[in-house]
Amino acid sequence: MAASTPHYDVIIIGAGAAGLMCAATAGYRGRKVLVLDHANKPGKKILMSGGGRCNFTNLNSTPANFLSDNPHYCISALKRYTPQDFVELVDRHGVEYEEKAPGQLFCKDSAKDILNVLLTECEWAGAEIRMKTSVSKVAETENGYRLATSTGTLNCESLVIACGGLSIPTMGATGFGYEVAKQFGLKVLPTRAGLVPFTLQPELKAQLAPLSGVSCPVEASCHQHPFREPMLVTHRGLSGPAMLQVSSYWQPGDEVHINLLPGQKIQEDLLALRKEKPQSTLAHYLNQHLPKRFAQAFNELQGWQGPLQEYRNSDIEHIARTLSDWTVKPAGTEGYRTAEVTLGGVDTRQLSSKTMAVLDKPDLYFIGEVVDVTGHLGGHNFQWAWASGVAAGNVA
Ligand SMILES: Cc1cc2nc3c(=O)[nH]c(=O)nc-3n(C[C@H](O)[C@H](O)[C@H](O)COP(=O)(O)OP(=O)(O)OC[C@H]3O[C@@H](n4cnc5c(N)ncnc54)[C@H](O)[C@@H]3O)c2cc1C
């Protein structure tokens, strides 16, 4: 007699942040849960996140920290599973953490601690995790879904797609979630790399090359979305938190505006300095406010020479504008190879904001990064993974 096809209440494709959270939540409800993943280990992105320390949430996370074509979609799930809820979970497991920047919580020891929390929760909830399993076909059945996988055919009542976005393909990222969405008639919005360093045109790249490794606090903005954080010059272009944040708002051809001296009254300062010390130079002024190497290179780039007394009021006005609004037109970004997230994805207008289920197909769910909800840098993306995972896990 042929063995019957194994049946699960819930199958989740993707053993990442959202999938594992969803698995534990559904398992605790008594559902028979299986998580499938083609990678050899679960939660690889969790392990590499936050420089190996995983910035697992942000205490100040609000819907305003997310980009989406349908900005209200994320509100409900984020409200029902808050950063504090995740902190309580982490506390119950005795994980030590620290607030490195306002609201940003990182593991004190290692990102492994967060993965262990999730794996332990899955174990306690009785959710099974099967790695090295690829899914070649998803078909709808009378009472659920049938999956053709590299480890055999499987049936389930509810199917949750949690296979993330396209960033870091070497970590197992694929467009599989988008393919499943399209198969079931859902719209997938154009995707692009987000939270990613900028590359520069050859001339500016060569001028800034000597500054590789220099970081300075700036206020960078693109399309009127300002971020006051450090900028880092690299041998490939511009990076650091400020640049990663604005990259999510940037489209090819756009300019990035950089205030090198945020919070300073540059024009007033320079006029006062010219009056008090006419022999003083711009190089001297910049040296006082910017990292020395950056000050020197920027001064050379602009060709500012001679004592301040030689500068007219209109020159000083122009210099102040250059420093407060240094405008750079990036050549591009480093793309999915180094991007932390993928913008765009499954259009949320076809999903329930309460359950993450497809509106006219209540047993099919999309959670985490595969949907068109992308957070700012600083722990927001994991908070979305937890919140959307719990929302689906409560009903799937
Ligand atoms: C370098 C880096 C650092 C980051 N740091 C932070 C941080 O500190 N804080 C923060 O909030 N966010 C951070 N992020 C973003 C965060 O990692 C993601 O937003 C989050 O992991 C998304 O969770 P997810 O479960 O939707 O997808 P993922 O965590 O990407 O999980 C998707 C899973 O699906 C599997 N999969 C893919 N395709 C298939 C397929 N065809 N079949 C089977 N399985 C498949 C993958 O192997 C993977 O295990 C970082 C991202 C990167 C790349």
Side-chain angles (χ1 to χ4, degrees), residues 10 18 36 40 67 78 83 158 190 232 249 255 274 283 389:
V10 187
L36 298 177
N40 58 348
L67 290 86
L78 291 170
S158 298
L232 174 71
Y249 291 92
E255 289 173 338
R274 186 183 63 181

Side-chain angles (χ1 to χ4, degrees), residues 13-19 36-39 45 48-50 54-55 133 162-164 168 171-172 174 176 339-341 367-369 379-382 385:
I13 305 181
L36 298 177
D37 198 306
H38 66 165
K45 271 197 194 160
M48 73 188 299
S49 68
C54 185
N55 178 194
T133 302
C163 46
I168 326 267
M171 285 288 127
T174 68
F176 185 75
E340 285 200 12
V341 287
I367 59 171
E369 198 179 318
H380 305 284
N381 284 296
F382 278 134

Side-chain angles (χ1 to χ4, degrees), residues 54-59 61 82-84 86-87 103-106 378-380 382-383 386:
C54 185
N55 178 194
F56 55 82
T57 194
N58 190 310
L59 297 174
S61 199
T82 64
Q84 204 50 49
F86 195 76
V87 169
Q104 299 180 15
L105 302 189
F106 286 75
H380 305 284
F382 278 134
Q383 189 54 37
W386 317 137

Side-chain angles (χ1 to χ4, degrees), residues 80-382:
R80 282 175 298 130
Y81 191 84
T82 64
Q84 204 50 49
D85 289 324
F86 195 76
V87 169
E88 277 167 26
L89 174 67
V90 161
D91 281 339
R92 282 204 296 281
H93 286 260
V95 172
E96 288 198 73
Y97 53 86
E98 59 190 337
E99 190 171 352
K100 275 205 185 170
Q104 299 180 15
L105 302 189
F106 286 75
C107 295
K108 255 195 176 153
D109 188 16
S110 153
K112 262 191 214 152
D113 291 344
I114 296 299
L115 181 57
N116 286 339
V117 167
L118 296 169
L119 294 177
T120 306
E121 288 287 318
C122 282
E123 196 185 326
W124 289 347
E128 192 186 324
I129 300 167
R130 194 184 295 176
M131 302 306 296
K132 296 187 193 164
T133 302
S134 53
V135 182
S136 53
K137 201 172 161 200
V138 176
E140 211 172 349
T141 61
E142 223 170 76
N143 42 16
Y145 297 88
R146 175 170 295 133
L147 274 55
T149 82
S150 56
T151 55
T153 304
L154 301 164
N155 283 336
C156 63
E157 198 179 302
S158 298
L159 179 62
V160 183
I161 307 299
C163 46
L166 296 168
S167 44
I168 326 267
T170 49
M171 285 288 127
T174 68
F176 185 75
Y178 309 132
E179 285 163 35
V180 176
K182 284 182 197 157
Q183 180 190 336
F184 289 99
L186 303 187
K187 190 170 161 193
V188 176
L189 298 169
T191 58
R192 64 194 163 86
L195 300 182
V196 62
F198 286 115
T199 55
L200 298 172
Q201 305 289 354
E203 198 188 345
L204 185 58
K205 187 174 146 185
Q207 281 163 335
L208 296 182
L211 291 182
S212 179
V214 177
S215 167
C216 57
V218 302
E219 183 175 278
S221 71
C222 189
H223 294 293
Q224 269 82 48
H225 292 281
F227 293 91
R228 195 186 275 204
E229 303 210 47
M231 170 181 81
L232 174 71
V233 182
T234 72
H235 60 282
R236 284 193 291 263
L238 293 176
S239 186
M243 293 297 124
L244 298 184
Q245 298 278 32
V246 295
S247 74
S248 293
Y249 291 92
W250 183 85
Q251 300 273 5
D254 285 347
E255 289 173 338
V256 171
H257 299 271
I258 303 165
N259 183 347
L260 292 167
L261 300 173
Q264 307 249 15
K265 293 179 180 141
I266 307 168
Q267 193 174 345
E268 278 176 38
D269 286 356
L270 285 174
L271 289 171
L273 190 62
R274 186 183 63 181
K275 202 168 167 195
E276 283 162 32
K277 294 181 182 164
Q279 289 301 317
S280 189
T281 61
L282 277 159
H284 177 74
Y285 174 77
L286 291 180
N287 265 336
Q288 283 180 329
H289 298 286
L290 289 166
K292 274 213 165 56
R293 266 167 74 200
F294 193 91
Q296 199 182 340
F298 196 78
N299 199 46
E300 275 167 25
L301 186 68
Q302 301 300 333
W304 292 330
Q305 287 166 346
L308 276 175
Q309 64 184 359
E310 288 175 8
Y311 288 83
R312 291 168 300 178
N313 285 358
S314 58
D315 296 331
I316 285 181
E317 192 186 329
H318 178 73
I319 289 162
R321 218 176 309 122
T322 305
L323 287 168
S324 64
D325 188 11
W326 181 39
T327 304
V328 173
K329 203 170 184 178
T333 72
E334 290 185 8
Y336 293 120
R337 192 178 59 80
T338 59
E340 285 200 12
V341 287
T342 303
L343 292 144
V346 178
D347 188 355
T348 58
R349 291 181 188 85
Q350 302 142 297
L351 306 176
S352 156
S353 61
K354 291 221 158 50
T355 65
M356 314 283 120
V358 177
L359 287 175
D360 58 359
K361 216 174 273 297
D363 292 326
L364 178 61
Y365 302 78
F366 287 85
I367 59 171
E369 198 179 318
V370 73
V371 302
D372 171 36
V373 174
T374 307
H376 288 164
L377 190 77
H380 305 284
N381 284 296
F382 278 134

